[in-house]
Amino acid sequence: MGESGQSDAPLAEKIRLDKWLWQARFFKTRGLAASVVRSGHVRVNGNRAGKPAQMVGPGDVLTFTQASRVRVARILAPGTRRGPAPEAQALYDDLSPLPERADETPVSPNPRYEGKGRPTKKERRKLDLNAPGALD
């Protein structure tokens, strides 16, 4: 017990939301984590987190967007430092839904249209064989 007569155990289990998001390596900087929380894009147990200093602990479920993906994480431990990735992954249980794939075939960022665009090496060889005098 502390000097005030209250137990120190519950405080030791809690950590600031922005600090936990940074330690768990969801955001590159603590300031970036704080700005995401401040803008209202993080939910703790279904309720919007209003400030980065909100205390979270084991058992809390966080929902937030990261890039274009929705992340859902259950806090397992408060953490003590921003360590390597395996240490950070031990702080939470990832409950995020799997990203949906529209099509199994990979889509090229530059679609090839008939007669347009730069030919591949294979297509160039084929064109060279069809050139007049190529087989003479």
Side-chain angles (χ1 to χ4, degrees), residues 44-128:
V44 179
N45 298 325
N47 300 320
R48 186 164 35 166
K51 52 187 180 173
Q54 180 173 342
M55 302 303 273
V56 293
D60 288 337
V61 177
L62 306 179
T63 307
F64 56 96
T65 57
Q66 187 177 29
S68 61
R69 187 174 167 203
V70 174
R71 301 295 303 257
V72 181
R74 178 182 296 122
I75 299 174
L76 299 177
T80 56
R81 67 181 186 130
R82 181 178 166 94
E87 184 179 316
Q89 290 170 351
L91 297 178
Y92 63 92
D93 186 20
D94 193 5
L95 306 173
S96 302
L98 295 175
E100 297 178 16
R101 289 196 227 181
D103 193 6
E104 292 296 323
T105 59
V107 177
S108 171
N110 299 322
R112 190 171 294 282
Y113 300 105
E114 194 65 38
K116 293 184 179 179
R118 185 176 174 159
T120 63
K121 189 171 186 177
K122 184 177 180 181
E123 292 170 342
R124 285 196 313 271
R125 283 193 204 114
K126 193 173 171 185
L127 290 171
D128 290 342

